[in-house]
Amino acid sequence: MEMSPVQIEERVRSLGRWFHNIDLRGVKTAPDHFLGDYPNIKWQHFAHAIPADLSDKSVLDVGCNAGFYSIEM
């Protein structure tokens, strides 16, 4: 089921405060994060080393915490 941005926004807010600021189709999960656009700011430091297309690939995110990098991959 594909959700509209309004539905995503409603669902995100219903889950309470988020630590990771993840962009879900334009909806930021933690737009007022005290570290700014975290962890995207960290991702930008090494994203160049990750292939742009990971189709047909498997990714293992060891110690993923909330899964930000898994989602990015």
Side-chain angles (χ1 to χ4, degrees), residues 30-44:
D32 57 347
H33 196 285
F34 69 97
L35 293 175
D37 191 13
Y38 178 86
N40 189 48
I41 53 174
K42 286 177 52 179
W43 170 258
Q44 296 308 315

Side-chain angles (χ1 to χ4, degrees), residues 44-57:
Q44 296 308 315
H45 291 289
F46 63 87
H48 67 279
I50 308 295
D53 184 4
L54 293 173
S55 299
D56 300 320
K57 304 286 190 262

Side-chain angles (χ1 to χ4, degrees), residues 11 13 15 18-19 27 30-31 37 41-42 53 55-56 60 65 67-68 71:
R11 182 68 177 133
R13 300 301 161 235
L15 295 171
W18 291 56
F19 183 75
V27 176
D37 191 13
I41 53 174
K42 286 177 52 179
D53 184 4
S55 299
D56 300 320
L60 175 62
N65 188 0
F68 173 80
I71 292 170

